Amino acid sequence: MEFQADAIDRVIKNTIEVMESSKYQIFEILQVARDELAALTRELHRVMEETEETLEKVDKLELNYHRSRIRLTEVSRDFVRYSEKDIRIAYEKATELQLELMMTREREAYLRNRRDELQMRVRSVENSVERAESIGSQMSVVVEYLSGELGQVTRIVESAKNRQMIGLKIILAQEEERKRIAREIHDGPAQMLANLVLRTEIVERMLVKQEFGLVQDEIVDLKGQVRFSLEEMRKVIFNLRPMALDDLGLIPTLRKYVHDYEDKTKIRTSFETRGKEHRLSSAMEAAVFRLVQEALSNAAKHAYPSYVLVEITFQAQLIKIVVKDNGSGFNVQQMKNEQSRRESFGLVGMRERVELLEGRMEIESAENQGTSVVIHIPTNVDKGKE
């Protein structure tokens, strides 16, 4: 099939349009986060003011209650000067102040907890706003770069073999990623949020009926569900792009991912590094992370190992990735036929990713002998883009 540069131009232009659309969506998310931050800040100020007022009220009540106790002791001891009615009044006054003091202290504890919770939420939303601003700025830079260097990109693509497939692969990868994200959100946070809406309606009906005991239990359960929903959303965000990659770098992020992988799958996992560790470009670190993620996922899904080793080796202009397991293994030669390629689609997709990075991937495996995936990627490919 003859190579068509115009087709690649259209693919890149479509990619730019998608990125432009995604950029505006990020800006919309950013605006929502800013609005939420403003609302949380206002509520935090209100709660802090109410907390200060409640503290002052507690101090006054404690003083009055102390005085009422002294008064009660005084009238109880002097039967000559004070009548039984005086004693009863003093006792009722002390009891009333004691009850009010207890209720005010409970209000103080609630306000303190609410204040602390709001402060944590404000910090979390502030971090989200900063992330969204950073991502929006980065996407703007990428869009401008692609728009300005379109001719150069086309010439580079023309010089490679079978480059007419790259555009299709990019679009298919985008669609698959969108399907995965939509499925995760639909099956996880969306379902939970729908359930929360239903539960809040139940709470409203309980409030109308003044079933305050049941309301309290329901609110405690709702709070747990909200926290769980937040954790699920954070997992979705992490799968989109681990924020730790930008903050900490590739190795700390992989170390944490391997630790979480071991906890989740109950597969004993080791992570080792060799050579002098150094930061790579943002795109290269993301690519290496995804390759390790895919290799570990394939091992858990298909090999059923009891042990997995992940080894990263830094060389002058090369990074070497080794993912080795002691699982069931497979016949590498059978991957050449169509049926086996479908069954090992994850490895095939990894090989295509490695080829796009101008690297190479080697697979050593045999039935009941485990599997070793070795990937070599040149790290000087994208230095000019940093």
Side-chain angles (χ1 to χ4, degrees), residues 226-376:
V226 170
R227 287 177 174 171
F228 184 77
S229 299
L230 180 60
E231 187 64 26
E232 290 296 309
M233 186 61 75
R234 285 173 175 166
K235 290 180 182 178
V236 174
I237 294 172
F238 181 87
N239 288 332
L240 287 176
R241 177 173 175 84
M243 296 179 181
L245 271 179
D246 298 323
D247 297 336
L248 304 179
L250 175 65
I251 297 304
T253 304
L254 279 176
R255 186 172 284 112
K256 180 181 184 305
Y257 179 78
V258 167
H259 177 74
D260 294 340
Y261 173 86
E262 186 177 52
D263 288 344
K264 180 180 179 181
T265 62
K266 307 305 179 185
I267 300 172
R268 188 166 61 91
T269 310
S270 297
F271 180 75
E272 299 177 3
T273 60
R274 301 182 185 278
K276 185 177 180 181
E277 178 185 340
H278 58 272
R279 292 297 299 267
L280 305 174
S281 69
S282 177
M284 182 63 71
E285 288 187 340
V288 173
F289 177 84
R290 294 303 183 196
L291 287 170
V292 174
Q293 187 181 42
E294 184 67 20
L296 289 174
S297 177
N298 288 338
K301 288 180 180 178
H302 306 296
Y304 312 106
S306 61
Y307 174 75
V308 179
L309 168 66
V310 178
E311 183 182 281
I312 305 294
T313 302
F314 289 90
Q315 299 178 8
Q317 296 182 346
L318 187 76
I319 185 169
K320 179 183 176 183
I321 307 165
V322 177
V323 180
K324 187 175 182 180
D325 67 69
N326 64 348
S328 58
F330 60 93
N331 190 326
V332 178
Q333 295 300 321
Q334 290 182 356
M335 288 183 62
K336 295 180 180 180
N337 65 63
E338 183 178 353
Q339 178 65 24
S340 296
R341 283 180 65 86
R342 284 199 296 268
E343 294 176 354
S344 57
F345 180 78
L347 290 175
V348 175
M350 286 177 60
R351 187 182 297 279
E352 291 177 350
R353 286 194 197 184
V354 172
E355 290 174 354
L356 289 174
L357 294 170
E358 300 184 18
R360 69 181 191 275
M361 185 173 81
E362 302 166 358
I363 301 174
E364 297 180 2
S365 184
E367 293 184 2
N368 301 318
Q369 298 288 325
T371 301
S372 177
V373 178
V374 182
I375 301 172
H376 297 82

Side-chain angles (χ1 to χ4, degrees), residues 147-213:
S147 300
E149 300 294 330
L150 185 58
Q152 180 180 354
V153 171
T154 301
R155 287 192 297 272
I156 294 174
V157 173
E158 287 175 345
S159 65
K161 183 180 180 180
N162 296 326
R163 293 297 186 179
Q164 62 266 42
M165 297 299 298
I166 289 180
L168 180 59
K169 290 180 180 179
I170 290 173
I171 294 174
L172 289 175
Q174 288 176 337
E175 290 303 316
E176 288 298 322
E177 189 67 5
R178 287 178 178 178
K179 289 179 183 178
R180 184 188 65 80
I181 295 169
R183 184 167 55 251
E184 286 188 3
I185 293 177
H186 178 270
D187 295 341
Q191 296 286 347
M192 295 174 187
L193 290 175
N195 184 48
L196 287 175
V197 172
L198 179 61
R199 298 291 290 275
T200 53
E201 291 175 354
I202 295 175
V203 171
E204 287 179 348
R205 289 195 291 270
M206 289 179 178
L207 286 173
V208 173
K209 297 179 180 179
Q210 297 186 355
E211 298 174 345
F212 299 114

